[in-house]
Each structure stands twice: as C-alpha cells, then as structure tokens.
C-alpha cells in the first residue's frame, strides 16, 4: 500500500487530468446535447430528422469506435482539432493548447458520444411534462420557442436532472478510455504506466486508481439518489 | 414517422419556409460530408482512386475477400464475447439482485423464533452481509468498465491465473454488468407494490416461492426496457477488447488499417456494422416491450405509471449508457 503514498503525486496528477477532461467534456456535451434535444422536439421535420439521426448513430456506436475515429481518422483528414484551442480556456486547461492533439481528439469523441445521451435525458424530461401544459401554453398563443422557454423547459428540468446526472456519471467512467488513446497522464494511463513500464505491484496501483474514480462517481451517485428520493416525496 | 408534438401547431407558411430552407441546408451538408468522406482521403499523388475504398466495397479488389473474411471473424468474436458476457452477467446479476432483496427482507425480520442472543447474532449477520454487498456493488458500479477489464487482464496473471483473452473480456464485462443488472432487477422488484408480497404471504407462499412465482415475473416486465438497453451496452462494450488485444471487430479493423492505411473507410464500415446490429436490437426491444405492455392491460395487474403523455416521439428504452 505504500505505493499509493509514495507515488501520491502521480495518482493526484492523474486524478487532476481526468477531472479536467470530465469538466470540459461535461460542458461540451451539455451544450451540444441541449442543441440536439431542441432539434429533436422542434417543429421543423428536417431538423427533427437530423436530431434523430444523430442520436441513433451515436447511441448505437461504441465509444471506442468514436474515439478511434477521432484519434486516427481526424489526422488522416488533416485536422488537428485546433479550433479547440480556445484562448482563455487553454490557459486554465493547459492540455487543450498542447501540440500533441490527443487530448483534444479525446475531448471531441467524449462530447460527441455523450451529447446523444444528454439529448435523450433532456427529451425524457420534456416527455414527463403533462401534455396539457404545452396545450395550454399554445392556446395562449405562445410560439414554439416561448412555449419551450417559459412553460415546458422549466418543468422538464426537474424530471431530467436525475437521468442527466447518470449520463454524467457514465461519462466520467467513459473518460477512462482516453488513457488508451494517447492522452498521457490520466488515471487509466497512470495505471498502465505504473504497472507495465515501472513494474510496480498491480494491486496497490489498481486500488489507487480505483479510488480516484470512486471519488468522482460515488458521491455524485449518492447525490442523485437523494435528489431522486426528494422528488419522489414531492410528487406525492 | 414521428408522432405529432403538441408543442406546436399545424405547420403554417412560415414553418413551411423554415422547413424548406432547413432541408436544402441539410441536404447540402450531407452531400458535402459524403464528398469529404469519399473523395478527400486521396492517395499520395493527390489522386482519387478506389485504393482506399476498394478493399471494402470492390469484389474485384485483391484484398476484398481477405478483408471481409477477417472482419467476419472479428464480428464472430464480438458476438461470441457478447453472448457469453450476457449469459453470465444475467445469471450472476439475477443472483445478486435477489440476494440483495432477500437480505433487505431479512433485515426487517426480528428473528422472533430464536433465543435472544441468537436472534441478535442472526440480525447482525444479515445486516453485515447486506452492507458488504452494498459496498461491493457501489465500488464495481462506480468503476469504469474499461478499468475492470484492464484490471482483470493485468491482475489475474499476477496471481498465477492466465486465460485466453476472450475470458478476460467476458470476466471483466460480467463483473461490471452483473452489478448493473442486479441493480436493475432490485429497482424493478422495489417498484412492485408491497401488496403483492403481502398477498403472496397471506396465501401461505414461502419467501422463495413469493420471489420466484410472484415477484420476479412482474419485476422482469418492469425492468425489461432497462435490461435490454443494458444488453446493447454489453455488445458495445465488447469493443473494449482491443485494450487486451482480443481479436474483435475493432481490433481487426485496426490491423487492416495497419496494412492498407485507410482509417476513415474502415471505421465507417465498422461503425455501420455496430449501428445496424444495435439499432435492430433496440427495435426488437421496443417490439417486445410493446407486446408485454399489451399483455399487462389484460392481466389486470396494478396500474403501472402510464407512459407520460407524448409531447414528442416516444422515447427509446431506458437510460443505459456505456
């Protein structure tokens, strides 16, 4: 067990990098997912078709394939994902601005993949709003946007918090994949590095890395349980 | 054809205009995307040739049969791993879920038939056991499945157990998914009205009989959507086998790319393979769910939560996320 204490800085660094990619990917996925969700419930059929196609494609494809595509096919298309070097952001999240683009590639893959699930979570919230609400708003003469913004979304938010939370937890767990796609220094790559290259005993390293992920996922899950229970009580 | 939403009215002229513009823009984007995927990956001389797509689509190509033989083997391996993992995690998951339910029931009991110290001992034992299972479930549910597979493949050889990579993959997937399936089962059972258990007790069924005859079949019906989307997740997660170099579809694709260097084309084909299989699976899930919910009405069982009034197209399955 002394490995965890001796190499605490390595584990902490891995945790920090994983946290960074999770925060960035969560923001990106929430934004993109919200856009896709609005597309999917919009009154314009082609936009709806696009939203549906997006969700179908990304929900039925393994994240691994998306990651491979981002990490190996984007360079073949000549892209370096430089558009992600956002001036203020890359001074906070230094890996965004580095020359090795794997962090950005992994970020793109995570965002694209998670956005499909975020969209479904938001949409399930919209589906939980009684139809009468939307009908009443429409009978007042509200347009689609007004209806969505003033009536449906505020109510659907309550029903979509819990599914959104589980999507984010899943995303945190999915972020373990980035270590196998060239992102040096995140928790899963740390496990690989410490056991294979430095030949440390496996069990303590596994425990250290697991603790890193559990710190992020378990409290979030407990929080979600609480919210769920509170909502169940409020609904009665 | 998606359901008409109540968020908006019958399309008016403005909406038809937007529709037209959106269609044109989207068609343009799709054409541009197709052009990008097919024509942009040119060969070294800057010329478009069938070299990059050829091995995948042109039967006359010298690599065609080899590539598809290997991809077929990869698909077979993927399906093998998925089938094994699904069977084992269903078995282990059901056992785990039932164990947790029964332990919870046991915790409620006061063991009145026993002498006081024995009763306390039994009660403490059941509480400790349920706490342990709970902690294990939380840990394995909170860990990424990538790491579970990685840990199994790296850790077991260190304890002198070495197996075929297929079994590492199956074991890793089972550990994660059985925990998740156990939780799905448990929530399905807890979603049942308590009257079911009481009624079963009142006609003299034992705890095991109650679980097997009364509760499990009903819980199964409730949890089916979540269960099937979890099975799709298992299928998707087999692609993580590339980490431990199991020869599944994606890994084979990687090898093909290593020889023919056509990453985009191969990934597109693999993505299409996965999408076709998973989409048809989730459609099947829809169908089964529909059939079961139709049966539920006639069975006169307690009213489920009616599906929320559809504002949009019906939502697809549970929140299964890999």
């Amino acid at each position: 067990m002394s490995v965890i204490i001796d190499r605490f800085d390595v584990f902490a660094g891995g945790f920090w990098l994983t946290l960074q990619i999770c925060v960035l990917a969560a923001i990106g996925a929430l934004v993109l997912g919200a856009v896709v969700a609005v597309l999917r419930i919009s009154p314009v059929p082609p936009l709806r078709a696009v939203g549906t196609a997006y969700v179908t494609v990304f929900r039925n494809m393994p994240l691994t394939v998306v990651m491979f595509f981002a990490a190996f096919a984007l360079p073949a298309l000549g892209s370096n994902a430089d558009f992600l070097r956002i001036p203020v952001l890359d001074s906070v999240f230094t890996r965004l601005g580095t020359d090795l683009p794997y962090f950005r590639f992994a970020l793109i893959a995570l965002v694209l993949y998670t956005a499909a699930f975020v969209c479904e979570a938001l949409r399930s919230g919209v589906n939980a709003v009684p139809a009468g609400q939307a009908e009443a708003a429409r009978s007042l003469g509200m347009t689609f946007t007004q209806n969505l913004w003033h009536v449906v979304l505020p109510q659907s938010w309550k029903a979509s918090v819990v599914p959104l939370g589980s999507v984010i937890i899943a995303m945190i767990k999915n972020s373990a994949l980035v270590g196998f796609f060239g992102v040096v220094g995140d928790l899963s790559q740390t496990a690989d590095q410490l056991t294979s290259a430095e030949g440390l005993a496996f069990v303590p390293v596994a425990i250290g890395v697991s603790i890193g992920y559990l710190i992020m996922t378990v409290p979030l899950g407990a929080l979600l349980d609480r919210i769920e229970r509170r909502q169940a009580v409020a609904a009665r | 054809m998606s359901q008409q939403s109540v968020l908006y009215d019958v399309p008016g002229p403005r909406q038809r205009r937007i529709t037209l513009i959106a269609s044109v823009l989207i068609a343009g984007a799709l054409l541009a995307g197709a052009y990008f995927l097919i024509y942009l990956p040119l060969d070294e001389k800057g010329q478009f040739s069938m070299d990059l797509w050829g091995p995948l689509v042109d039967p006359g190509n010298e690599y065609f049969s080899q590539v598809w033989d290997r991809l077929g083997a990869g698909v077979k391996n993927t399906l093998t791993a998925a089938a094994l993992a699904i069977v084992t995690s269903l078995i282990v998951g059901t056992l785990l879920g039932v164990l947790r339910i029964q332990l919870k029931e046991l915790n409620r009991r006061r063991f009145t038939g026993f002498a006081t110290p024995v009763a306390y001992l039994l009660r403490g034992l059941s509480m400790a056991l349920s706490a342990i299972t709970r902690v294990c479930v939380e840990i394995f549910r909170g860990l990424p499945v990538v790491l579970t597979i990685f840990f199994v493949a790296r850790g077991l050889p260190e304890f002198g157990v070495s197996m075929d990579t297929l079994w590492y993959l199956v074991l890793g997937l089972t550990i994660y998914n059985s925990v998740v399936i156990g939780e799905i089962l448990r929530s399905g059972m807890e979603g049942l009205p308590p009257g079911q258990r009481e009624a079963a007790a009142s006609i003299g069924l034992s705890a095991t009989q109650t679980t097997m005859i009364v509760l499990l079949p009903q819980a199964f019906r409730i949890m089916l959507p979540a269960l099937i989307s979890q099975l799709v997740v298992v299928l998707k997660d087999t692609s993580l086998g590339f980490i431990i170099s199991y020869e599944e579809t994606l890994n084979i694709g990687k090898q093909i790319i290593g020889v023919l260097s056509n990453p985009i084309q191969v990934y597109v084909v693999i993505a299409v393979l996965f999408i076709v299989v998973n989409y048809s699976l989730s459609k099947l899930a829809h169908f089964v769910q529909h059939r079961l919910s139709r049966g539920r009405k006639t069975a006169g069982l307690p009213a489920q939560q009616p599906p929320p009034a559809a504002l949009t197209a019906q939502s697809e399955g549970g929140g299964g996320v890999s």
Side-chain angles (χ1 to χ4, degrees):
Chain A
M1 284 311 110
S2 64
V3 170
I4 300 177
I5 299 157
D6 290 347
R7 311 299 302 272
F8 181 74
D9 52 335
V10 179
F11 288 109
F15 179 76
W16 174 230
L17 190 66
T18 298
L19 198 65
Q20 278 188 13
I21 201 159
C22 287
V23 168
L24 284 173
I27 295 170
L30 285 177
V31 172
L32 186 60
V35 171
V36 180
V38 171
L39 285 187
R40 278 206 80 174
I41 58 175
S42 78
V44 183
L47 296 185
R48 222 154 52 211
V50 167
T52 313
Y54 181 92
V55 171
T56 309
V57 166
F58 281 99
R59 257 170 49 132
N60 290 313
M61 197 151 70
L63 174 62
T64 330
V65 174
V66 188
M67 282 254 181
F68 264 115
F69 207 97
F72 300 116
L74 281 188
L77 284 171
S79 169
N80 222 359
D82 274 335
F83 64 92
L84 277 177
R85 294 180 161 180
I86 302 159
V88 183
L89 266 187
D90 67 3
S91 58
V92 182
F93 301 97
T94 41
R95 284 301 184 87
L96 267 184
T98 49
D99 284 327
L100 275 179
Y102 290 109
F103 186 86
R104 298 196 290 273
F105 288 156
L107 196 62
I108 290 176
L110 263 184
V111 167
L112 284 180
Y113 181 80
T114 314
F117 294 92
V118 168
C119 164
E120 288 305 273
L122 289 176
R123 214 169 56 94
S124 77
V126 169
N127 278 346
V129 177
Q133 296 286 326
E135 282 168 356
R138 225 181 62 202
S139 76
L140 289 176
M142 287 187 174
T143 63
F144 169 74
T145 325
Q146 286 172 332
N147 195 341
L148 204 61
W149 189 248
H150 294 295
V151 179
V152 175
L153 277 189
Q155 298 185 66
S156 75
W157 177 243
K158 233 166 62 181
S160 48
V161 162
V162 173
L164 262 186
S166 39
V167 166
I168 296 299
I169 290 179
M171 194 208 67
I172 292 173
K173 291 192 285 179
N174 283 335
S175 76
L177 204 52
V178 305
F180 298 97
F181 283 92
V183 176
V184 179
D186 92 315
L187 270 174
S188 59
Q189 201 269 339
T190 302
D192 200 3
Q193 173 72 17
L194 289 181
T195 51
S196 67
E198 300 193 23
L200 292 178
F202 179 77
V203 173
V205 173
I207 291 175
V209 169
S210 306
I211 289 173
Y213 280 105
L214 294 177
I215 287 176
M216 287 184 270
T217 52
V218 172
L220 210 51
L223 183 73
L224 280 184
D225 274 356
R226 253 186 91 113
I227 295 175
E228 202 170 9
R229 219 169 298 142
R230 186 176 294 178
Q231 275 181 0
V233 171
R236 251 169 230 164
Chain B
M1 192 59 202
S2 63
Q3 234 165 303
Q4 183 68 43
S5 161
V6 297
L7 271 176
Y8 43 83
D9 212 333
V10 188
R14 179 163 168 269
Q15 209 157 303
R16 277 206 293 275
R17 209 156 50 235
I18 298 177
T19 305
L20 186 70
I21 295 170
S23 321
V24 171
L25 285 179
I26 289 162
L30 286 180
L31 284 179
Y35 177 83
F36 203 58
L37 281 181
I38 295 171
Y39 286 93
L40 207 75
L42 304 168
D43 60 4
E44 310 75 72
K45 286 177 227 124
Q47 296 284 308
F48 170 73
S49 66
M50 277 305 275
D51 284 0
L52 296 169
W53 278 102
L56 292 161
V57 294
D58 175 20
N61 192 288
E62 53 177 325
Y63 294 109
F64 181 82
S65 58
Q66 278 183 49
V67 162
W68 277 102
D69 279 353
R70 301 227 50 204
L71 275 180
V75 170
K76 211 184 88 199
N77 284 347
T78 295
L79 292 180
T80 312
L84 285 172
I86 284 173
V87 169
T88 49
S89 44
L90 273 180
I91 294 172
V92 180
T94 311
L95 290 178
L96 197 67
V98 170
L99 176 72
R100 281 199 70 185
I101 294 277
Q102 296 299 24
L103 280 176
K104 199 179 163 197
E105 280 303 303
L106 223 58
N107 285 342
R108 285 219 194 94
R109 276 183 59 182
R110 301 248 157 214
F111 299 98
T112 38
F114 299 91
T116 317
V118 179
Y120 274 113
L121 192 70
L122 285 175
R123 194 131 195 273
L125 208 64
S126 84
M127 282 180 137
L129 209 58
S130 71
I132 290 171
T133 49
R134 165 120 209 236
V135 168
C136 284
V137 164
E138 285 297 334
I139 286 178
F140 285 116
R141 209 167 55 144
L143 278 183
V145 62
V146 198
L147 280 195
T148 324
I149 295 168
F150 181 72
F151 286 169
V152 167
R154 263 300 156 74
L156 282 187
E158 223 161 88
F159 295 100
V161 186
S162 63
M163 302 184 285
D164 195 51
T165 43
L166 168 67
W167 297 108
Y168 289 137
L169 182 60
V170 169
L171 190 56
L173 287 176
T174 303
I175 290 175
Y176 176 76
N177 287 296
S178 59
V179 167
V180 175
I181 288 176
E183 287 299 282
I184 292 174
L185 182 82
R186 194 174 64 90
S187 68
M189 298 270 260
E190 281 174 0
L192 292 176
Q196 294 288 326
R197 193 181 273 275
E198 287 159 16
S202 78
I203 56 170
L205 295 183
S206 71
T208 324
Q209 281 172 326
T210 309
T211 312
M212 294 306 291
I213 308 174
V214 181
L215 299 181
L216 266 184
Q218 294 186 57
F220 184 70
R221 211 173 249 174
I222 298 179
M223 69 192 225
L224 201 70
L227 188 65
I228 292 181
S229 58
Q230 191 59 34
L231 299 188
V232 172
V233 168
V234 176
L235 188 60
K236 277 169 36 171
D237 282 350
T238 51
S239 65
L240 298 173
F242 90 94
I243 288 167
I244 56 175
S245 52
Y246 174 63
E247 297 242 310
E248 43 73 48
T249 321
L250 195 57
N251 206 353
I252 300 254
K254 232 174 76 177
Q255 293 165 14
I256 293 171
I257 291 162
V259 178
L260 301 177
S261 61
N262 50 351
I264 298 152
Q265 290 79 359
V266 172
Y267 289 136
V268 167
V269 166
I270 290 174
V272 168
L273 281 178
F274 268 108
I275 290 168
V276 166
V277 173
N278 286 334
Y279 188 69
S280 35
L281 262 182
S282 57
K283 279 291 149 201
L284 180 75
H286 250 295
F287 176 71
V288 174
Q289 197 186 333
H290 199 72
R291 284 296 291 269
L292 282 183
S293 66
R294 197 172 59 184
R296 191 166 60 215
K297 267 179 225 155
T298 53
L301 288 169
Q304 302 294 319
Q305 276 274 309
L311 288 177
T312 57
Q314 204 186 349
S315 93
E316 287 175 15
V321 186
S322 152

